[in-house]
Amino acid sequence: MKPNLINMIPSIEGEELVYLQSLTNELREDELLSFIAVYNGKRRTTDQILIGCVLGFVCVGGIQRFMIGQNGMGILYLFTGGLCLIGTIVDLVNHKKLAFEYNRKMANESMAMLYANR
């Protein structure tokens, strides 16, 4: 019996769950467990991105962009005050989209690592 993704990945949300189910439906149980172990170490929750956005709004702009690996945008936000706070506000509104895009990229990297080890 394959493990349930909802039980194995904390705070997973709808769109991410559907994407991961379609990505991992061909994996055996041991491969799925390996994928989940690697993916859990790389993924960001929407709460983490939201906290980064709030900190970027209050303290130092660009923290959320550094968290998701967009270092160039993070430096731009840092030096421009979050693009005069407009970019930080947009990120605050779109934090779920930022988290999903980052997690999708990490899922694809995790699958690539899994297939490389086959």
Side-chain angles (χ1 to χ4, degrees):
M1 183 173 139
K2 286 179 105 171
N4 190 350
L5 287 173
I6 293 175
N7 297 333
M8 300 295 290
I9 301 174
S11 69
I12 192 168
E13 295 181 4
E15 191 175 17
E16 183 181 5
L17 176 63
V18 170
Y19 181 75
L20 290 179
Q21 285 175 336
S22 67
L23 189 65
T24 62
N25 64 354
E26 301 290 324
L27 297 179
R28 298 186 315 263
E29 183 177 350
D30 60 326
E31 292 174 332
L32 181 61
L33 291 173
S34 296
F35 168 80
I36 290 171
V38 172
Y39 179 67
N40 270 335
K42 293 181 173 187
R43 76 182 289 268
R44 298 275 187 256
T45 64
T46 55
D47 295 340
Q48 290 171 327
I49 302 300
L50 179 61
I51 289 169
C53 289
V54 170
L55 287 174
F57 189 69
V58 175
C59 299
V60 179
I63 293 173
Q64 72 277 11
R65 294 295 179 154
F66 286 114
M67 290 174 64
I68 60 174
Q70 294 179 352
N71 296 330
M73 286 295 289
I75 291 170
L76 181 66
Y77 275 41
L78 180 68
F79 289 129
T80 62
L83 297 174
C84 297
L85 294 180
I86 294 171
T88 302
I89 292 170
V90 170
D91 285 353
L92 192 63
V93 171
N94 294 323
H95 72 279
K96 288 186 179 188
K97 181 181 174 201
L98 289 172
F100 176 67
E101 288 173 358
Y102 176 79
N103 289 337
R104 186 176 57 203
K105 180 180 170 187
M106 292 302 105
N108 290 332
E109 284 183 15
S110 299
M111 284 298 285
M113 285 177 54
L114 185 67
Y115 285 127
N117 292 331
R118 274 188 169 179

